Amino acid sequence: MEWLLSFPHMDDERLRALKKVIDGAFRHFTSTYGDAFEAFFQPLQVFLNQSERFMTTTPWPVIIVLVALIAWFASRSGRIVLGCVFTLMAIGYLDMWTDTMKTLSMIFVCTVISIVIGLPTGIAMARSNRLRNLISPVLDVMQTLPSFVYLIPVVMLLGIGKVAGLIAVVVYALPPMIRLTNLGIRHVDAEMLECADAFGSSSWQKLKNVQLPLALPSIMAGINQTIMMALAMVVIASMIGVEGLGQPVLKAISNQYFTLGMFNGLAIVGIAVIFDRVSQAYGRRLQKHLERVHGH
């Protein structure tokens, strides 16, 4: 009966030897190429520092006016604008302004990187079934692999700090952008593409003038999901040195500071609601605009 209870496994000595070889190889890789990786990601460090400096040094009334203008441009809804202003005022009143600005700068940089990587990747996947079949399993792994697991190689390569945290957040938040871009372009009406072909449009013209505009609602949904997933990683990223609202939450967990954890957690929720409402309202406006254009 013992062989039924104990699953057949590799000999302990061999297993230890295998783990030792893999660990040794990775340490050798990090010691050899670690500096090269740091140099490669240096522009990200500069971009993140500049973004954080702008958000933290700009006077708070200017930031609130900017957010209100962006919310109005995206939604044309006074209710959403008032909600954004009220949320930011409450965050500032409860003395969480600086941490919130650091978190916003991280989310902004993460979203920009996700768009720069995700948009062309999604377009390429929409044009090639073979590439889609190749990339889809990678995206599945990125979404299902526990974040703590891929934090290990990132920290070993780049050390504890903002860049390591940023890369971890991007890895977690990128898949929705790629998937929804691919989906949006694939679902563009075939008749519209036939019309473009009939007018002699090139492949680039079809993409720029037909496919991307019609796929914009889906792409906006991808950006929305990317932002939400990036915010979900704020607390985990704080464990490897990313400053912002995540660090007080982590401190509250370690020291049982209930109010500190709740206030900062609610600030994260408030930021998430702002991003969600504004991006969804913009997506709905785009959808209505496209429907009007097609109606004519």
Side-chain angles (χ1 to χ4, degrees):
M1 285 294 292
E2 286 186 13
W3 68 275
L4 283 173
L5 297 174
S6 178
F7 197 89
H9 58 84
M10 186 186 293
D11 176 71
D12 288 346
E13 285 292 329
R14 288 182 183 176
L15 187 58
R16 273 197 296 270
L18 177 63
K19 289 179 178 177
K20 194 173 180 181
V21 168
I22 294 171
D23 289 344
F26 192 76
R27 285 196 194 95
H28 175 71
F29 179 82
T30 53
S31 62
T32 306
Y33 299 105
D35 291 341
F37 272 94
E38 284 188 20
F40 179 77
F41 289 112
Q42 185 63 29
L44 278 185
Q45 176 90 48
V46 174
F47 184 24
L48 188 55
N49 287 341
Q50 292 295 330
S51 171
E52 188 176 296
R53 189 175 294 116
F54 172 78
M55 296 296 287
T56 53
T57 58
T58 304
W60 65 266
V62 177
I63 295 291
I64 290 178
V65 168
L66 279 174
V67 171
L69 288 172
I70 292 168
W72 174 254
F73 169 78
S75 66
R76 294 291 195 275
S77 167
R79 192 160 50 89
I80 290 176
V81 172
L82 283 174
C84 293
V85 171
F86 175 78
T87 302
L88 289 175
M89 293 289 284
I91 285 170
Y93 184 72
L94 294 171
D95 196 26
M96 295 180 290
W97 184 264
T98 302
D99 285 339
T100 301
M101 292 303 103
K102 288 178 179 178
T103 296
L104 280 176
S105 67
M106 169 66 75
I107 301 303
F108 169 71
V109 173
C110 170
T111 304
V112 169
I113 294 168
S114 296
I115 292 169
V116 168
I117 297 172
L119 194 62
T121 306
I123 292 167
M125 280 178 68
R127 291 188 167 192
S128 168
N129 288 330
R130 182 179 292 179
L131 188 63
R132 182 190 64 178
N133 295 335
L134 190 68
I135 293 177
S136 289
V138 178
L139 297 179
D140 292 338
V141 171
M142 287 167 70
Q143 285 189 294
T144 55
L145 190 71
S147 51
F148 288 106
V149 176
Y150 59 73
L151 281 177
I152 296 167
V154 170
V155 170
M156 287 181 73
L157 275 170
L158 300 169
I160 288 174
K162 293 178 186 177
V163 175
L166 178 66
I167 292 167
V169 173
V170 169
V171 168
Y172 186 73
L174 181 60
M177 184 69 212
I178 297 174
R179 287 188 193 280
L180 286 164
T181 300
N182 168 46
L183 192 69
I185 290 176
R186 281 180 180 272
H187 284 187
V188 170
D189 194 344
E191 290 181 3
M192 299 295 292
L193 297 177
E194 287 172 9
C195 287
D197 286 332
F199 281 104
S201 298
S202 66
S203 180
W204 166 247
Q205 286 172 327
K206 273 197 298 184
L207 175 67
K208 181 170 67 78
N209 299 325
V210 180
Q211 289 174 305
L212 281 179
L214 293 177
L216 260 180
S218 181
I219 293 169
M220 283 304 302
I223 294 172
N224 175 277
Q225 289 301 303
T226 292
I227 293 168
M228 295 300 107
M229 294 182 78
L231 276 165
M233 276 288 288
V234 163
V235 177
I236 294 171
S238 68
M239 295 180 181
I240 55 170
V242 175
E243 296 178 345
L245 291 168
Q247 285 197 340
V249 174
L250 198 62
K251 184 180 176 183
I253 293 169
S254 304
N255 299 284
Q256 298 183 352
Y257 296 149
F258 177 75
T259 51
L260 181 69
M262 284 298 296
F263 284 179
N264 283 271
L266 288 171
I268 294 171
V269 171
I271 296 302
V273 169
I274 287 175
F275 278 122
D276 184 59
R277 293 291 181 271
V278 171
S279 58
Q280 281 197 13
Y282 187 57
R284 285 194 296 270
R285 281 189 63 224
L286 281 174
Q287 189 74 53
K288 288 177 182 176
H289 174 70
L290 291 172
E291 285 172 1
R292 283 198 300 271
V293 169
H294 290 164
H296 294 302

